[in-house]
């Protein structure tokens, strides 16, 4: 067992973990943040996607011990209190989920994609960058629509700042 | 997953010492090959020694006619590096075609080259570009480095520090991906050296892993055009046969992908 400290959704947690404990297990079993899902054992489905130091990663394939000192954001950390954040809201409005199992991973992956591209996205880019997230229900169509809509919201929210700068 | 003990690497000396002294050790970088293997109990190292933070394995620099890529650079760093994009655009685009976004955020070039998966992308680039693998002990030419499926010339405990690529006149990569795993069913990297020599390296298709296709190199050195490749017949006898494709199918793909890589100089053609 070794001690690790991770900042998860803005709060520091110090816990003892086994060498083999995966970040996804740490979040789910030790912190009880069960929004991060585990849908495969081949690192392919993306249901376990979280942001680690700002980048989307598959938490089922990272050791908790290796993540010592990292800053992690999970699906539990995105809503503003009772209010859905802009990515969740777009998923809701565009009917981008059915069973919802893949949704936490989709939202976290989408958040990285939107931020990295500063909200400037087209359908091809979204489809390409979401390849690591599988959905067995929706057929992806509405997920793509939701991500594009959320990107638009993100871009507009940044626009006034630029307008003032001009 | 079996029990294991994790050690964060602090210095080259320390990781080498740990590797020499601890029972059943394994280095780990991104972990995106090793951890899936451990989860499926195909690997069970008792001690994991993390190389990622070692400064000797970090950084991407252009140094005269060489591009030097630290072994711990993740695929997304290589894909996004202006030095790589300016020096060898096909290499940046190859990195951007590996696995998926989350895999590219963790998997490293050093891990990929050390693992030498028969369907991995980097080995084709390293071999076709005539790169040099710089370890903590020596420098190994790509041609001597890959010694068969999942096999390399690395000694027990030897560490890849970085990979040095000579900047070519031009290079291109073409790949047919397995839509589920994203690994290559067949892919070809074609590079023209600054001296006009041509190297062709094929991944995904060979039964001994990545290989140079010498007939195509010769034909392309004579005339650098797709017709030179189309006149050739790769030997199905040396191709992999599995549920994704027969040896005959892969032999046909090797020709098609190599012709596309000739057409795609300065870029990639991924399908
Ligand atoms: C879903 C999925 C899809 C993928 N798709 C592709 C794909 O399309 N194409 C592709 O090429 N790859 C693909 N990969 C593999 C991915 O790119 C791996 O991350 C990479 O090949 C290995 O790098 P790593 O840093 O993760 O290595 P690790 O898993 O950390 O290590 C792999 C091996 O290399 C050794 N090693 C690591 N670093 C060094 C070093 N510096 N010196 C000496 N030995 C070292 C380790 O001891 C271990 O034996 C995929 C992986 C997954 C999970
Ligand atoms: S649970 Fe992590 S990729 Fe499927
Ligand atoms: S909504 Fe069911 S798996 Fe995506």
């Amino acid at each position: 067992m070794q001690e690790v400290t991770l900042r998860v959704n803005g709060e520091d947690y110090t816990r003892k973990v086994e060498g083999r404990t995966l970040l996804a297990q740490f979040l789910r079993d030790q912190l009880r943040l069960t929004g991060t899902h585990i849908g495969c054992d081949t690192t392919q489905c993306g249901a376990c996607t979280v942001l680690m130091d700002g980048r989307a990663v598959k938490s089922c394939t990272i050791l908790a011990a290796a993540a010592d000192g990292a800053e992690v954001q999970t699906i539990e950390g995105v809503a503003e209190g009772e209010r859905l954040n802009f990515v969740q809201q777009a998923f809701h409005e565009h009917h981008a989920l059915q069973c919802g199992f893949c949704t936490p991973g989709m939202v976290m992956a989408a958040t990285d994609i939107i931020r990295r591209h500063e909200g400037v996205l087209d359908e091809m880019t979204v489809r390409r960058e979401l390849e690591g997230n599988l959905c067995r229900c929706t057929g992806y169509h509405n997920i793509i629509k939701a991500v594009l809509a959320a990107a638009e919201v993100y871009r507009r929210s940044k626009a006034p700042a630029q307008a003032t700068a001009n | 997953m079996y029990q294991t003990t994790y050690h964060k690497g602090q210095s080259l000396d320390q990781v080498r010492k740990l590797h020499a002294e601890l029972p059943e050790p394994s280095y780990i970088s991104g972990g995106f090959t090793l951890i899936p293997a451990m989860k499926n109990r195909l690997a069970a190292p008792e001690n994991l020694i993390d190389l990622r933070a070692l400064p000797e394995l970090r950084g991407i620099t252009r140094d005269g006619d060489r591009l030097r890529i630290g072994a711990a650079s993740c695929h997304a760093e290589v894909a996004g590096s202006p030095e790589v994009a300016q020096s060898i655009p096909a290499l940046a685009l190859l990195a951007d075609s590996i696995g998926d976004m989350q895999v590219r955020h963790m998997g490293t070039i050093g891990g990929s080259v050390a693992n030498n998966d028969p369907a991995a992308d980097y080995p084709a680039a390293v071999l076709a570009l005539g790169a040099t693998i710089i370890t903590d002990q020596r420098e190994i030419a790509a041609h001597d480095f890959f010694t068969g499926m999942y096999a390399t010339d690395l000694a027990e405990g030897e560490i890849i520090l970085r990979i040095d690529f000579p900047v070519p006149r031009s290079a291109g990569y073409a790949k047919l991906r397995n839509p589920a795993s994203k690994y290559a069913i067949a892919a070809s990297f074609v590079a023209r050296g600054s001296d006009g020599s041509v190297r062709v390296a094929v991944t995904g298709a060979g039964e001994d892993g990545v290989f140079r296709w010498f007939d195509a190199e010769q034909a392309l050195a004579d005339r650098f055009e797709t017709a030179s490749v189309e006149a050739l017949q790769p030997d199905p006898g040396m191709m992999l046969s599995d549920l994704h494709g027969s040896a005959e199918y892969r032999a046909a793909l090797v020709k098609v992908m190599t012709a596309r890589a000739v057409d795609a100089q300065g870029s990639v053609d991924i399908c």
Side-chain angles (χ1 to χ4, degrees), chain B residues 126-169:
Chain B
V126 167
L127 192 55
L129 290 163
T132 306
I133 289 88
I134 317 287
T135 78
D136 60 327
Q137 299 168 22
R138 60 197 165 125
E139 304 194 351
I140 311 169
H143 192 73
D144 301 321
F145 182 83
F146 301 107
T147 55
M149 224 184 240
Y150 298 109
T152 70
D153 194 46
L154 286 176
E156 190 60 31
E158 191 169 2
I159 301 169
I160 303 179
L161 301 182
R162 61 168 205 269
I163 299 168
D164 282 9
F165 295 88
V167 175
R169 183 190 295 176

Side-chain angles (χ1 to χ4, degrees), chain B residues 65-212:
Chain B
D65 62 354
R66 313 284 288 179
L67 176 69
R68 308 186 195 282
I69 303 185
S73 309
C74 72
H75 308 331
E77 283 168 335
V78 174
S81 154
E83 284 81 11
V84 181
Q86 275 155 28
S87 309
I88 318 178
L91 186 62
L93 293 164
L94 172 149
D96 198 40
S97 80
I98 297 176
D100 55 52
M101 172 181 72
Q102 294 94 321
V103 170
R104 293 191 288 272
H105 283 160
M106 289 301 294
T108 68
I109 187 169
S112 177
V113 169
N115 192 52
N116 193 17
D117 186 298
D121 294 287
Y122 275 128
V126 167
L127 192 55
L129 290 163
T132 306
I133 289 88
I134 317 287
T135 78
D136 60 327
Q137 299 168 22
R138 60 197 165 125
E139 304 194 351
I140 311 169
H143 192 73
D144 301 321
F145 182 83
F146 301 107
T147 55
M149 224 184 240
Y150 298 109
T152 70
D153 194 46
L154 286 176
E156 190 60 31
E158 191 169 2
I159 301 169
I160 303 179
L161 301 182
R162 61 168 205 269
I163 299 168
D164 282 9
F165 295 88
V167 175
R169 183 190 295 176
S170 70
Y173 185 56
K175 161 165 79 163
L176 179 71
R177 303 192 310 168
N178 175 319
S181 79
K182 310 290 188 275
Y183 276 97
I185 297 177
S188 181
F189 199 103
V190 175
R192 271 204 292 182
S194 52
D195 59 356
S197 65
V198 178
R199 279 215 190 87
V200 178
V202 174
T203 189
E207 67 171 354
D208 291 324
V210 66
F211 67 91
R212 274 173 73 181

Side-chain angles (χ1 to χ4, degrees), chain A residues 37-48 58-61, chain B residues 39:
Chain A
H37 290 168
I38 297 176
C40 73
D41 51 19
T42 51
T43 317
Q44 283 174 310
C45 77
C48 62
K58 292 179 171 175
S59 63
C60 70
T61 309
Chain B
K39 289 208 280 184

Side-chain angles (χ1 to χ4, degrees), chain A residues 24-70:
Chain A
Q25 296 169 328
F26 175 79
L27 294 169
R28 290 177 54 82
D29 303 341
Q30 288 184 259
L31 303 191
R32 294 278 163 205
L33 295 172
T34 53
T36 298
H37 290 168
I38 297 176
C40 73
D41 51 19
T42 51
T43 317
Q44 283 174 310
C45 77
C48 62
T49 301
V50 301
L51 301 186
M52 188 165 91
D53 297 325
R55 293 189 309 184
V57 296
K58 292 179 171 175
S59 63
C60 70
T61 309
I62 294 173
L63 297 172
D68 187 22

Side-chain angles (χ1 to χ4, degrees), chain A residues 96-103 106 134-140 143:
Chain A
L97 57 146
Q98 289 177 26
C99 80
F101 190 85
C102 69
T103 313
M106 288 286 180
L134 302 182
C135 175
R136 283 298 178 250
C137 303
T138 63
Y140 301 100
I143 294 176

